[in-house]
Amino acid sequence: MIVAPIPVRTWLVDTVAALTLQNLTDFKTDGCGGVIAYLGGNLTKQLIADAHSLDLGIVPVNYSHKEGWMPTAALGAQDAKQSADHMNALGIPMLGLDDWCDIEGCGGVPTAYCEAWCAALAADGAGRV
């Protein structure tokens, strides 16, 4: 498994649904280049193995919180750590990886949350972007 850029115009599927090898095979047949999958959700070791066997990319992303959640600096730092913990558990290499932070549905201004998220990425030494 490697961290590599996704070429411009690559078609990706973004879903929280559990994906099977057959789903991935169908995506690949239809021209899909990879999937956006969720840490602590549908992104599993099996999904990684299945995608790898088909030469499909995976973009890991954190779940957002429930609609109306309030972003804070403390939560941003906590969520960034949780992201790293999930990736470590799955064996996902982090050096150079763009760590996606999903802030959809937040009920406030997410600036402090995002700044804390980014600071945590820089501070943990794993090499995430």
Side-chain angles (χ1 to χ4, degrees):
M1 191 176 354
I2 62 166
V3 174
I6 297 170
V8 174
R9 295 193 181 105
T10 299
W11 173 48
L12 301 172
V13 172
D14 180 359
T15 183
V16 297
L19 296 171
T20 65
L21 179 59
Q22 186 60 55
N23 296 136
L24 297 176
T25 301
D26 292 344
F27 295 159
K28 178 80 174 188
T29 300
D30 290 341
C32 179
V35 295
I36 299 170
Y38 290 79
L39 295 161
N42 68 337
L43 183 50
T44 63
K45 287 184 178 185
Q46 186 62 54
L47 178 62
I48 292 168
D50 290 346
H52 185 72
S53 74
L54 295 168
D55 197 28
L56 288 173
I58 293 182
V59 177
V61 66
N62 266 329
Y63 272 113
S64 188
H65 297 275
K66 293 190 185 270
E67 187 73 28
W69 66 280
M70 295 307 295
T72 66
L75 187 58
Q78 174 186 315
D79 287 352
K81 181 185 179 320
Q82 185 176 37
S83 175
D85 291 346
H86 283 302
M87 283 191 256
N88 279 326
L90 292 168
I92 297 172
M94 290 190 266
L95 183 60
L97 179 76
D98 288 325
D99 192 348
W100 289 27
C101 172
D102 189 347
I103 58 171
E104 96 185 77
C106 72
V109 177
T111 305
Y113 176 92
C114 293
E115 288 174 347
W117 173 282
C118 292
L121 296 188
D124 75 8
R128 295 178 291 160
V129 179

